[in-house]
Amino acid sequence: MRPEGLPKMAAVCMLAILGASVAAIGLHPAESVIPQDLRNTVARVQVLNATGRLEQTGSGVVVGVKQIEGRDEAWLCVLTADHIADPFPGEAVNRRVGFGNSAGVMAGPWQSAEVIWIPGPVVRERGQDFWVDLAMLGVRIQNFAAFKRDFPMAPAPVANRDPGSRRLFQAGYGYPTTIDPRLPGFYRVQEVDGAGRQNYGTLRVGENDSDRIINAYSRTSRANNKQYRFAAIEGDLDFVRRGNRWPPVSGESYPLRRDSGGPSFVFAPREREWLLGGIHSDSATRGRPGDLVVREGDLWHDVAAPYYAQWIERSCNAVPEPGTLTLVACALAGLTLRQRKRCAR
């Protein structure tokens, strides 16, 4: 598969950005590094079945804002993972997008159930379809002036050049982890909070470094049984130790369940600009629900967003304003058809 979205030189630059590992970066308070108007772009994504039962939760990131002229409304382009947005292919579902920290899975200061789903690119190889683990959600926000006061946003453009840094700032609303002094070499996953609720809905930001780019990373999602293949950023978990002592001084961030669809940002020091580098797709965990751990060296994978920059831009452009909803089906069909023809060639 040839990655879609970047010219050859830009793809080479992306390899330069993410192609080598560097020393582990501790899990310092990256929230103080990421500007607030960029943190505000990270969203909570939930999918309910036709009966209203919550089936899937994850994260996403705003990549575009389309204010409706003459009205206090806007459409937000929220990029997320396809396996979060489409847990039951072919079945009717309801999607919700929220902003701000929540006290529970569905709580939060802002929620919108007016959501349009645009599925990710499809690659056809040897008669078989493979999906890129991306999806675009068009989210309608009413009372937009009040929303902007609570959540001023500055979406990061997709990286398409070497920013001069390999450090990633990973964000999501998923499970947190703790370092257990009795469990050397592991993070312990905190699946529930002190009140016994699912530990989802609080934004967390941490730091990690990419190890390499995989041009055609393949996996089958347990969430929806789709087969995915895409250009991926791969990294692992490292701890910073003082000698061989445990507990360590600190550990890297590690995307977990419910972080899927969230962003990895990168900072370009020369231009002093934040860029979108990846979208969380999968990671390894060990154990069983209620007793999950992550071991040093376990791998995580992001969709390498720069390879799909053109699709991201086209999909955001297809997010409609009110009155154009009838055109969505035609727009999506055209996007999918062009993607299939391009990959076939």
Side-chain angles (χ1 to χ4, degrees), residues 44 63 113 137 141 162 204 210 237 259:
R44 293 176 283 115
V63 294
L137 302 177
I141 299 293
D162 184 353
R204 297 176 176 88
S210 61
L237 171 64
D259 288 319

Side-chain angles (χ1 to χ4, degrees), residues 183-202:
L183 197 63
F186 288 85
Y187 273 145
R188 188 173 293 282
V189 180
Q190 302 296 305
E191 298 172 70
V192 296
D193 63 16
R197 298 172 300 205
Q198 285 289 308
N199 220 337
Y200 167 76
T202 300

Side-chain angles (χ1 to χ4, degrees), residues 281-314:
S281 180
D282 73 353
S283 62
T285 55
R286 302 161 185 265
R288 60 185 183 276
D291 189 26
L292 293 176
V293 295
V294 183
R295 185 175 182 176
E296 187 169 17
D298 282 346
L299 300 176
W300 54 263
H301 297 95
D302 277 8
V303 179
Y307 286 92
Y308 306 100
Q310 291 179 9
W311 177 86
I312 293 170
E313 180 180 4
R314 292 198 306 266

Side-chain angles (χ1 to χ4, degrees), residues 13-314:
C13 289
M14 188 61 189
L15 290 173
I17 297 170
L18 300 167
S21 63
V22 297
I25 298 173
L27 188 56
H28 302 303
E31 287 88 348
S32 63
V33 178
I34 299 284
Q36 185 63 50
D37 57 3
L38 183 60
R39 292 177 60 200
N40 286 343
T41 64
V42 186
R44 293 176 283 115
V45 178
Q46 299 112 15
V47 180
L48 298 84
N49 66 17
T51 66
R53 177 182 173 182
L54 182 65
E55 296 286 357
Q56 187 64 282
T57 53
S59 303
V61 61
V62 176
V63 294
V65 179
K66 304 172 72 175
Q67 188 163 1
I68 301 170
E69 187 176 356
R71 301 176 67 174
D72 188 20
E73 298 179 12
W75 286 93
L76 306 183
C77 301
V78 177
L79 186 64
T80 187
D82 180 80
H83 77 271
I84 294 296
D86 189 29
F88 306 112
E91 296 186 20
V93 297
N94 297 309
R95 300 175 178 88
R96 296 183 181 178
V97 174
F99 295 89
N101 291 334
S102 68
V105 170
M106 296 304 296
W110 282 92
Q111 287 276 351
S112 176
E114 295 186 71
V115 178
I116 299 164
W117 166 58
I118 299 178
V122 180
V123 177
R124 191 166 184 82
E125 291 186 3
R126 299 179 182 178
Q128 185 174 359
D129 287 342
F130 296 91
W131 294 81
V132 175
D133 196 11
L134 291 176
M136 185 69 73
L137 302 177
V139 183
R140 186 180 179 182
I141 299 293
Q142 302 187 47
N143 302 318
F144 186 57
F147 179 85
K148 285 193 299 182
R149 286 195 300 269
D150 290 345
F151 297 99
M153 291 185 177
V158 176
N160 60 5
R161 53 183 166 72
D162 184 353
S165 174
R166 300 182 182 92
R167 180 177 300 181
L168 297 177
F169 293 80
Q170 300 176 315
Y173 283 93
Y175 294 149
T177 58
T178 59
I179 293 174
D180 189 337
R182 301 164 299 176
L183 197 63
F186 288 85
Y187 273 145
R188 188 173 293 282
V189 180
Q190 302 296 305
E191 298 172 70
V192 296
D193 63 16
R197 298 172 300 205
Q198 285 289 308
N199 220 337
Y200 167 76
T202 300
L203 178 62
R204 297 176 176 88
V205 182
E207 302 173 28
N208 204 314
D209 295 299
S210 61
D211 292 334
R212 61 170 178 158
I213 284 285
I214 303 175
N215 284 322
Y217 174 69
S218 299
R219 75 181 187 90
T220 300
S221 172
R222 290 177 294 179
N224 58 15
N225 207 35
K226 276 187 178 180
Q227 291 186 303
Y228 292 102
R229 184 170 296 176
F230 51 85
I233 306 167
E234 182 178 84
D236 65 0
L237 171 64
D238 291 308
F239 293 106
V240 179
R241 290 182 170 86
R242 184 179 292 110
N244 291 322
R245 297 178 183 175
W246 188 266
V249 175
S250 60
E252 291 181 311
S253 62
Y254 192 85
L256 288 164
R257 188 181 178 191
R258 307 182 194 276
D259 288 319
S260 292
S264 286
F265 298 116
V266 61
F267 184 70
R270 289 189 298 269
E271 295 81 5
R272 302 194 62 79
E273 181 181 25
W274 288 95
L275 303 170
L276 177 62
I279 295 294
H280 309 326
S281 180
D282 73 353
S283 62
T285 55
R286 302 161 185 265
R288 60 185 183 276
D291 189 26
L292 293 176
V293 295
V294 183
R295 185 175 182 176
E296 187 169 17
D298 282 346
L299 300 176
W300 54 263
H301 297 95
D302 277 8
V303 179
Y307 286 92
Y308 306 100
Q310 291 179 9
W311 177 86
I312 293 170
E313 180 180 4
R314 292 198 306 266

Side-chain angles (χ1 to χ4, degrees), residues 316-337:
C316 186
N317 289 339
V319 171
E321 295 183 1
T324 65
L325 295 179
T326 55
L327 301 178
V328 173
C330 294
L332 299 188
L335 284 172
T336 302
L337 180 60

